[in-house]
C-alpha cells in the first residue's frame, strides 16, 4: 500500500504535488500503524498454501485459471469452508457458473474434521448471470458495508468477462477490476476469482482485468487424475513453482 498512516501522514504518495517535501516517517511507526488483526485464510491444502506462503491474506486478490473441470471451483469451496468454519468469517460467493453446491461444502468440512453445523449460515451465495449483475451485486455489497476481513469469491469471473465485446467490454472489465480492488482495500478482505485459461488470449479484455490480481495460480488436470497447480504470478515467490494435489470426496489433498 502506498498510503502513509503513521505520524499524522495520511496523504497518498500518488497524490503529492510535484516538488512537495514530505517529512520522513520512521519504519517502526509505520509497522505499529498497521492493523494487528489481519488474517490469512488457508486453502485447507498444505501444497496450495505453500504456493501462497501460508494462504490468502487480507486485502489480496488471487485468481485461479484453468480449463473446465480442472479443479478451480473445488479450490474455491475449500477456501470457503476454511474461512466460514474455522475462522468463522463471512463468505460472499458470487456464483457466475451455477456451480455452488452447499452439500459439497459440508462434505469438505466433514473430511477436514470440522464439526460446525452453523458454518453454512456464514456463506452468502449470490447468483450472477452477467457482468451487469455482478457489478450490481458488488455495488450492493459495498453499500451494505460488509464485515471486515470477509472472503469474497467470484466464480467464474473470467467467463463473464469473456462474453464481453469491444470497447464497452473493456470498460466493463475495468469497472469490475476497480470494484474488486476497492472492496479488498476498504474492507481488508481476501478476494478469490476463477477464470478459464482461454481468457488469457483475449487481448484487451485480459489486459483490463489482469492487473487486479496480485496472485495467479494455473491449474491443470493430469491423466492420472491429479491436479498440477503452478504459481504464474505471486508476491515474494518465484513464478513457476508447482504443487501436485488431489481432489477427492473429502476435498483437497497433497501428493
Amino acid at each position: 500500500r502506498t498510503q502513509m498512516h503513521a505520524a499524522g501522514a495520511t496523504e497518498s504518495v500518488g497524490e503529492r504535488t510535484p516538488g512537495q517535501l514530505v517529512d520522513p516517517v520512521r519504519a517502526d511507526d509505520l509497522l505499529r500503524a498497521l492493523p494487528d488483526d489481519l488474517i490469512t485464510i488457508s486453502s485447507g491444502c498444505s501444497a496450495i498454501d505453500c504456493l501462497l506462503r501460508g494462504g490468502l491474506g487480507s486485502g489480496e486478490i488471487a485468481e485461479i485459471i484453468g480449463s473446465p473441470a480442472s479443479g478451480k471451483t473445488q479450490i474455491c469451496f475449500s477456501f470457503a469452508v476454511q474461512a466460514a468454519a474455522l475462522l468463522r468469517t463471512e463468505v460472499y460467493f458470487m456464483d457466475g457458473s451455477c456451480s455452488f453446491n452447499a452439500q459439497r461444502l459440508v462434505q469438505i468440512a466433514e473430511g477436514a474434521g470440522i464439526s460446525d453445523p452453523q458454518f453454512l449460515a456464514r456463506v452468502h451465495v449470490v447468483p450472477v448471470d452477467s457482468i451487469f449483475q455482478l457489478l450490481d451485486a458488488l455495488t450492493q455489497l459495498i453499500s451494505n458495508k460488509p464485515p471486515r476481513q470477509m472472503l469474497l469469491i467470484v466464480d467464474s469471473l473470467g467467463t463473464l468477462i469473456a462474453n464481453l465485446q469491444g470497447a464497452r467490454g473493456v470498460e466493463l472489465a475495468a469497472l469490475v477490476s476497480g470494484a474488486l480492488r476497492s472492496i479488498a482495500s476498504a474492507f481488508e478482505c481476501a478476494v478469490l476469482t476463477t477464470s478459464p485459461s482461454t481468457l488469457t488470449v483475449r487481448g484487451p479484455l485480459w489486459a483490463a482485468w489482469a492487473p487486479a490480481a496480485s496472485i495467479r495460480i494455473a491449474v491443470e488436470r493430469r491423466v492420472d487424475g491429479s491436479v498440477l497447480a503452478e504459481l504464474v504470478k505471486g508476491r515474494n515467490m518465484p513464478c513457476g513453482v508447482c504443487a501436485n494435489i488431489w481432489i477427492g470426496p473429502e476435498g483437497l489433498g497433497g501428493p
Side-chain angles (χ1 to χ4, degrees), residues 7-175:
T10 58
E11 181 179 292
S12 172
V13 172
E15 295 174 357
R16 276 194 236 122
T17 302
Q20 178 183 352
L21 296 178
V22 177
D23 292 335
V25 180
R26 284 175 37 171
D28 57 344
D29 287 335
L30 289 173
L31 179 61
R32 280 191 293 270
L34 291 174
D36 58 5
D37 59 347
L38 298 181
I39 63 173
T40 298
I41 302 173
S42 169
S43 67
C45 173
S46 59
I48 294 292
D49 287 350
C50 184
L51 295 182
L52 298 172
R53 290 219 164 175
L56 190 56
S58 299
E60 291 185 326
I61 301 177
E63 182 180 38
I64 304 171
I65 61 174
S67 58
S70 58
K72 302 185 297 296
T73 299
Q74 295 299 314
I75 294 174
C76 290
F77 286 167
S78 190
F79 270 105
V81 168
Q82 293 291 315
L86 287 186
L87 297 180
R88 303 179 70 84
T89 190
E90 302 297 310
V91 177
Y92 287 80
F93 196 106
M94 306 286 178
D95 187 6
S97 58
C98 298
S99 60
F100 185 81
N101 186 331
Q103 190 172 19
R104 177 59 175 153
L105 264 65
V106 172
Q107 188 180 35
I108 292 173
E110 291 175 347
I114 299 171
S115 56
D116 177 9
Q118 302 301 318
F119 85 91
L120 284 179
R122 292 185 285 273
V123 181
H124 312 273
V125 184
V126 183
V128 288
D129 296 330
S130 68
I131 204 72
F132 301 102
Q133 288 188 0
L134 175 60
L135 283 168
D136 286 344
L138 295 176
T139 300
Q140 186 66 39
L141 183 61
I142 294 172
S143 65
N144 289 341
K145 293 185 167 59
R148 292 175 58 251
Q149 300 183 1
M150 63 176 177
L151 171 62
L152 172 60
I153 297 173
V154 185
D155 181 41
S156 161
L157 172 60
T159 300
L160 300 178
I161 291 177
N163 292 329
L164 302 176
Q165 300 291 332
R168 178 57 174 163
V170 172
E171 179 184 353
L172 290 169
L175 285 174

